[in-house]
């Protein structure tokens, strides 16, 4: 079986280094907010080209802390793509703010910048862009709208470590960005982890306190904070893996190129890449009309696929008040997308086998 994503194989490559750094943390006697966190955050800020990176417990809380850091709460509206992974939207709701859903573009699956302005009201405070599947949102129009209406731009960069737009890294395309280091992400640790990147000194200062019970100095609490920290073992592992991120992303790039050049089946819609950007192929997402049949066919022939995501947020029981709403592009995407195996450890022969299967002329159309 060709696995959709073989996390063990991905991490096995770093066994020696990972064991070494775990030993190092064990011996240090410092397990939370120590040197590993400081160094990793400096390295990651440099990587993204920003002044600050702040380690936190996971990607959703990274987004949460940005919203809280800007003082947004009940009554404030935040624009967000309707087809995102639900964590982006949950992060907004959790702060008491109102998520305002906007349809994506059918060609990139990212928020359609032309549909944002009509959703802006006097209560709108921010636009949350989500660089879905590893492709950055074309930011030009977003920047223009943010300036015109005085809005914050928050990036959900959980799927876009190393992606670029107009020569700038994801994480440096808005006022602040949230990253996730969940194991399956392009830069993943061996547990939960996340970070916020920003050039905003005041925001960084506040979030550093808020993620640590609201205190800069132990037992002195400036804010009603939370506990959301990146632990030393995860930070140390991320230091190791950050060194290999660009190489891994290049490998993803080669696989995507191979798929895009060699898959020739009229019933499969391949992903498109916008201008002026570097896609990091967190996921390789195609569309087919008869998804069930397609997935079964691949499974029968030893290829595991996944769906990102099967149910759109506005159709989830968690958001009952939205269930009657209609977002036709979002719904079509959720009905048709399938993710092919994509990871830096996918072999040439596995890629070949997948392409051969998909191109088999004896196939009925999907
Ligand atoms: C993974 C992910 C998140 C949440 O990150 P966690 O670390 O799992 O909390 C948020 N948004 C998007 C788009 C994601 O893919």
């Amino acid at each position: 079986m060709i696995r959709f994503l073989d996390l063990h194989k991905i991490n096995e490559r770093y066994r020696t280094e990972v064991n070494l750094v775990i030993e190092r943390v064990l011996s240090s006697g410092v397990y939370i907010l120590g040197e590993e966190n400081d160094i990793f955050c400096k390295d990651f800020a440099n990587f993204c080209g920003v002044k600050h990176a702040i380690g936190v417990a996971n990607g959703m809380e990274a987004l949460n802390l940005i919203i809280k850091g800007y003082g947004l709460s009940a009554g404030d509206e935040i624009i967000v793509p309707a087809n995102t992974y639900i964590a982006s939207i949950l992060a907004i709701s959790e702060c008491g703010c109102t998520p305002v859903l906007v349809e994506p573009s059918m060609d990139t699956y990212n928020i359609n910048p032309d549909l944002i302005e009509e959703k802006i009201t006097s209560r709108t405070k921010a636009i949350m862009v989500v660089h879905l599947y590893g492709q950055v949102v074309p930011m030009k129009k977003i920047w223009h709208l943010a300036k015109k209406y005085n809005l914050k731009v928050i990036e959900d960069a959980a799927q876009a470590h190393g992606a670029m737009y107009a020569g700038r890294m994801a994480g440096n395309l808005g006022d602040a960005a949230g990253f996730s280091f969940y194991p399956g992400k392009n830069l993943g640790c061996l547990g939960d982890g996340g970070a916020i990147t920003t050039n905003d000194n005041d925001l960084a200062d506040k979030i550093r306190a808020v993620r640590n019970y609201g205190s800069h100095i132990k037992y002195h609490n400036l804010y009603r904070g939370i506990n959301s920290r990146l632990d030393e073992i995860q930070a140390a592992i991320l230091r190791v893996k950050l060194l290999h991120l660009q190489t891994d992303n290049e490998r993803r790039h080669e696989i995507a190129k191979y798929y895009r050049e060699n898959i020739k089946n009229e019933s499969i819609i391949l992903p498109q890449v916008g201008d002026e950007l570097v896609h990091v192929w967190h996921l390789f997402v195609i569309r087919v009309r008869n998804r069930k049949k397609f997935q079964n066919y691949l499974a029968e022939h030893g290829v595991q696929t996944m769906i990102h995501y099967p149910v759109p947020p506005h159709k989830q029981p968690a958001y009952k008040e939205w269930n009657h709403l209609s977002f036709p592009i979002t719904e079509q995407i959720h009905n048709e997308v399938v993710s092919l195996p994509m990871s830096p450890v996918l072999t040439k022969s596995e890629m070949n086998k997948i392409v051969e299967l998909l191109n088999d002329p004896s196939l009925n159309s999907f």
Side-chain angles (χ1 to χ4, degrees):
M1 181 66 135
I2 301 175
R3 304 263 305 273
F4 168 72
L5 182 66
D6 189 339
L7 285 176
H8 171 245
K9 195 170 176 191
I10 287 176
N11 289 306
E12 186 60 42
R13 300 175 296 164
Y14 310 120
R15 177 180 286 275
T16 313
E17 290 139 291
V18 165
N19 276 331
L20 265 169
V21 301
I22 292 174
E23 279 284 331
R24 184 171 77 207
V25 173
L26 173 65
S27 303
S28 77
V30 179
Y31 307 120
I32 300 277
L33 294 187
E35 197 175 61
E36 302 290 346
N37 179 74
D38 287 348
I39 297 173
F40 169 69
C41 287
K42 279 207 185 83
D43 291 349
F44 193 62
N46 284 337
F47 177 83
C48 296
V50 294
K51 282 201 266 182
H52 308 278
I54 304 147
V56 296
N58 57 65
M60 184 173 140
E61 284 178 346
L63 296 170
N64 228 304
L65 282 157
I66 294 168
I67 299 168
K68 287 197 179 109
Y70 281 129
L72 305 184
S73 61
D76 295 328
E77 295 177 357
I78 301 179
I79 285 171
V80 64
N83 64 319
T84 183
Y85 178 53
I86 201 167
S88 333
I89 293 171
L90 290 172
I92 297 171
S93 311
E94 208 278 326
C95 295
C97 300
T98 306
V100 175
L101 307 183
V102 171
E103 285 266 60
S105 311
M106 200 39 127
D107 49 355
T108 62
Y109 312 129
N110 271 327
I111 193 166
N112 184 342
D114 295 330
L115 302 179
I116 293 176
E117 193 162 16
E118 65 200 58
K119 296 287 182 93
I120 294 174
T121 72
S122 58
R123 293 180 299 279
T124 309
K125 295 292 160 57
I127 302 171
M128 184 185 286
V129 293
V130 182
H131 307 311
L132 203 65
Y133 307 151
Q135 169 153 241
V136 287
V137 171
M139 296 300 292
K140 221 181 202 149
K141 274 202 183 117
I142 313 276
W143 289 331
H144 168 76
L145 289 172
K147 200 163 175 195
K148 183 169 169 189
Y149 294 97
N150 191 27
L151 308 175
K152 297 292 182 197
V153 176
I154 301 169
E155 292 173 77
D156 179 342
Q159 301 188 357
H161 318 72
M164 296 179 88
Y165 175 73
R168 281 162 64 177
M169 283 281 185
N172 184 24
L173 297 173
D175 292 285
F179 284 90
S180 165
F181 305 124
Y182 180 79
K185 311 291 185 183
N186 287 32
L187 178 60
C189 53
L190 303 189
D192 272 315
I196 291 132
T197 57
T198 184
N199 286 311
D200 182 334
N201 296 337
D202 294 337
L203 181 75
D205 199 52
K206 187 169 175 190
I207 290 176
R208 278 196 185 96
V210 174
R211 60 99 196 249
N212 188 31
Y213 310 119
S215 73
H216 287 296
I217 303 164
K218 212 168 187 180
Y219 309 131
H220 294 266
N221 304 78
L222 274 176
Y223 311 103
R224 296 176 200 179
I226 61 172
N227 174 357
S228 183
R229 301 173 301 213
L230 181 66
D231 69 67
E232 288 289 279
I233 286 185
Q234 299 306 339
I237 292 167
L238 286 165
R239 284 178 66 192
V240 170
K241 292 189 70 180
L242 180 57
L243 298 173
H244 304 278
L245 175 60
Q246 290 292 40
T247 318
D248 277 2
N249 280 348
E250 277 160 29
R251 181 73 193 128
R252 287 173 185 272
H253 212 86
E254 285 165 17
I255 297 165
K257 186 164 182 264
Y258 185 80
Y259 280 158
R260 292 174 75 212
E261 285 174 357
N262 293 290
I263 296 173
K264 291 189 167 51
N265 181 328
E266 280 180 3
S267 52
I268 295 174
I269 300 171
L270 293 168
Q272 294 180 41
V273 182
D275 297 330
E276 270 196 290
L277 60 83
V278 176
H279 195 319
V280 290
W281 301 104
H282 172 58
L283 296 168
F284 191 91
V285 177
I286 60 172
R287 281 181 18 241
V288 290
R289 284 203 193 284
N290 195 341
R291 178 167 67 191
K292 203 164 208 140
K293 189 174 155 199
F294 178 82
Q295 279 197 294
N296 287 341
Y297 166 80
L298 285 184
E300 279 161 18
H301 292 82
V303 177
Q304 185 190 21
T305 55
M306 301 278 269
I307 300 173
H308 298 92
Y309 300 91
V311 183
H314 72 281
K315 294 293 183 195
Q316 298 282 0
Y319 286 103
K320 252 192 229 74
E321 68 275 32
W322 292 343
N323 288 176
H324 69 282
L325 297 178
S326 160
F327 290 95
I329 295 175
T330 295
E331 286 158 34
Q332 190 184 340
I333 289 170
H334 283 78
N335 284 330
E336 296 182 353
V337 287
V338 182
S339 305
L340 296 184
M342 166 59 78
S343 90
V345 296
L346 200 68
T347 65
K348 187 87 193 175
S349 72
E350 289 172 326
M351 286 152 60
N352 267 326
K353 179 175 172 193
I354 293 164
V355 168
E356 259 171 40
L357 264 178
L358 298 183
N359 291 350
D360 190 334
S362 71
L363 271 189
N364 297 329
S365 70
F366 294 113

